[in-house]
Amino acid sequence: DTDTGAGSHDPTSLRTPIVAVLGHVDHGKTSLLDKIRGSAVIEGEAGAITQHIGATAVPLDVVSSIAGDLVNPDDFDLPGLLFIDTPGHHSFTTLRSRGGALADIAILVVDVNDGFQPQTLEALDILKRSQTPFIVAANKIDTVPGWNANEDSPINATYEAQSDRVSSRLDESLYEIIGNLSDEDFSADLYWRVQNFQRNVGVVPVSAMTGEGVPDLLAVMMGLSQRYMKEEMEIDVQGPGVGTVLEVKEEKGFGTTIDIVLYDGTIKADDQIVVGGMNQPIVTDVRALLQPRPLAEIRTESRFEKVDEISAASGIKVAAPELADAMAGAPVRVVRNRELDEVVDEVEAELADIAVDTEEQG
Ligand code: GDP
């Protein structure tokens, strides 16, 4: 037995679940992410890093301060939620991890007035095929005529502040969405009636505009992850990092860089990595790991600051030579203490999987 270290040092730890947002165009995916990001910045302590590259981290204590009574941090040992910043189907299907979707969990956004639309159905189909657990955010509840808005309020409290006419009007729209889900073979209900989120899809009424229901949305995501996904979140956090390329980008002063989402292990600023390329795996050495610099400091310096290492789950920019042929959606693996050939083989196998899937989807 060679002592390659895998599993022989640090104990496993729990990583953040990765969350994707899907839904029909204009139903509010971007607005919802903006709202969550905005609330996280307000509730987060000064200096807490919420902005990753290509993703937004909402740590458990921030989830809890946004969600108030709905989330008691003592009930959780998952560290929070990591939202992928690029919503939409293309990004969801491109971003994969070994054998499945990169996202562990998804939010399907449906406009309460507009209801199910072609891309809603498409999203359901994608979620079904990838077997990704999801909840439905029934968005734009503030547009129900006569709505009395209560900024950032949990849904229960804002429901009570509506007239009977207004709340029954919302109920009608919500039940229509529940009916549409059932037509697609998803048994669904309002989230507070759902006992088992593995069997039933929870529908959460929200407004990305006023923030109403956002506490509930975060609480449900957190609860669902904690209850049903804990085992999948167990990683060897000190192990060699594994991730997926979000984007390949030219960056002034750094040349071609890759933005990656790391879903396992750690990547260090002096690691050798293997990246999926257009023709073959690229073997290269990390030159710098870059995070966005806090807003206050941006004026004087580069947009990025260098970090020595980062662990999953996180979004990070990697500067390294030879990245011109790297592809969005391709795997990235840290070599560290392992045979290079083995790691290259792993990346090749993953690339072959991606090619097959792309053909199947036409
Ligand atoms: P996306 O295409 O799904 O990302 O949708 P956007 O987030 O761009 O939203 C489309 C439009 O709907 C924008 O004009 C938003 O301001 C508006 N919108 C999104 N969410 C809400 C909401 O909860 N309430 C209201 N009144 N408008 C919203």
Side-chain angles (χ1 to χ4, degrees), residues 47-122:
I49 297 174
T50 48
Q51 196 64 47
H52 285 217
I53 292 287
T56 300
V58 189
L60 177 60
D61 61 338
V62 176
V63 170
S64 158
S65 34
I66 296 171
D69 292 345
L70 297 175
V71 171
N72 175 356
D74 298 340
D75 295 341
F76 296 90
D77 46 19
L78 289 179
L81 300 165
L82 185 78
F83 291 85
I84 298 173
D85 284 343
T86 37
H89 305 180
H90 179 71
S91 129
F92 185 88
T93 45
T94 315
L95 297 178
R96 305 160 47 82
S97 63
R98 27 179 182 227
L102 172 65
D104 302 299
I105 183 168
I107 299 175
L108 174 59
V109 179
V110 183
D111 181 329
V112 279
N113 303 304
D114 212 17
F116 265 44
Q117 293 297 332
Q119 288 165 343
T120 317
L121 292 166
E122 187 187 289

Side-chain angles (χ1 to χ4, degrees), residues 193-229:
R193 300 214 178 115
V194 173
Q195 302 276 345
N196 182 333
F197 282 89
Q198 264 178 327
R199 239 177 279 151
N200 298 303
V201 175
V203 175
V204 185
V206 298
S207 165
M209 192 77 98
T210 66
E212 290 160 288
V214 170
D216 307 64
L217 188 69
L218 292 176
V220 175
M221 300 292 287
M222 202 67 223
L224 170 57
S225 312
Q226 175 74 28
R227 182 87 194 265
Y228 300 110
M229 303 179 59

Side-chain angles (χ1 to χ4, degrees), residues 77-352:
D77 46 19
L78 289 179
L81 300 165
L82 185 78
F83 291 85
I84 298 173
D85 284 343
T86 37
H89 305 180
H90 179 71
S91 129
F92 185 88
T93 45
T94 315
L95 297 178
R96 305 160 47 82
S97 63
R98 27 179 182 227
L102 172 65
D104 302 299
I105 183 168
I107 299 175
L108 174 59
V109 179
V110 183
D111 181 329
V112 279
N113 303 304
D114 212 17
F116 265 44
Q117 293 297 332
Q119 288 165 343
T120 317
L121 292 166
E122 187 187 289
L124 277 176
D125 189 47
I126 292 169
L127 292 168
K128 199 185 283 182
R129 270 190 285 138
S130 61
Q131 300 192 315
T132 308
F134 66 99
I135 58 173
V136 169
N139 189 34
K140 307 197 188 185
I141 58 172
D142 64 291
T143 62
V144 172
W147 188 261
N148 170 20
N150 298 273
E151 295 269 319
D152 303 326
S153 162
I155 213 61
N156 179 27
T158 199
Y159 241 103
E160 278 169 11
Q162 309 305 321
S163 70
D164 288 350
R165 192 179 49 83
V166 169
S167 52
S168 24
R169 189 127 177 205
L170 173 59
D171 286 344
E172 265 169 48
S173 309
L174 294 173
Y175 279 110
E176 192 163 323
I177 290 174
I178 290 168
N180 291 144
L181 282 162
S182 142
D183 292 344
E184 300 305 314
D185 294 329
F186 288 99
S187 149
D189 208 340
L190 296 168
Y191 90 85
W192 52 88
R193 300 214 178 115
V194 173
Q195 302 276 345
N196 182 333
F197 282 89
Q198 264 178 327
R199 239 177 279 151
N200 298 303
V201 175
V203 175
V204 185
V206 298
S207 165
M209 192 77 98
T210 66
E212 290 160 288
V214 170
D216 307 64
L217 188 69
L218 292 176
V220 175
M221 300 292 287
M222 202 67 223
L224 170 57
S225 312
Q226 175 74 28
R227 182 87 194 265
Y228 300 110
M229 303 179 59
K230 210 174 124 174
E231 273 167 34
E232 290 169 54
M233 298 300 108
E234 281 172 4
I235 60 165
D236 173 13
V237 72
Q238 292 300 324
V242 187
T244 301
V245 178
L246 272 176
E247 224 179 316
V248 183
K249 264 188 194 162
E250 278 307 309
E251 218 63 77
K252 220 176 138 209
F254 296 103
T256 308
T257 65
I258 48 174
D259 293 353
I260 70 171
V261 171
L262 198 70
Y263 60 86
D264 198 354
T266 296
I267 184 167
K268 300 180 181 174
D270 60 357
D271 271 328
Q272 184 180 39
I273 54 173
V274 181
V275 184
M278 279 185 260
N279 302 305
Q280 70 235 11
I282 302 160
V283 178
T284 185
D285 291 311
V286 175
R287 196 175 271 160
L289 298 177
L290 304 165
Q291 280 285 39
R293 197 178 281 279
L295 281 175
E297 298 171 18
I298 282 181
R299 228 177 297 176
T300 49
E301 306 189 53
S302 145
R303 286 201 296 132
F304 304 110
E305 67 188 351
K306 294 187 182 177
V307 295
D308 291 337
E309 61 171 70
I310 193 159
S311 300
S314 52
I316 184 89
K317 182 183 285 292
V318 180
E322 316 289 338
L323 289 177
D325 277 352
M327 299 185 298
V332 186
R333 286 175 174 267
V334 168
V335 178
R336 206 184 308 143
N337 302 333
R338 294 184 297 168
E339 291 294 332
L340 177 59
D341 285 353
E342 255 172 57
V343 183
V344 169
D345 287 349
E346 285 172 0
V347 168
E348 259 171 358
E350 282 179 72
L351 282 172

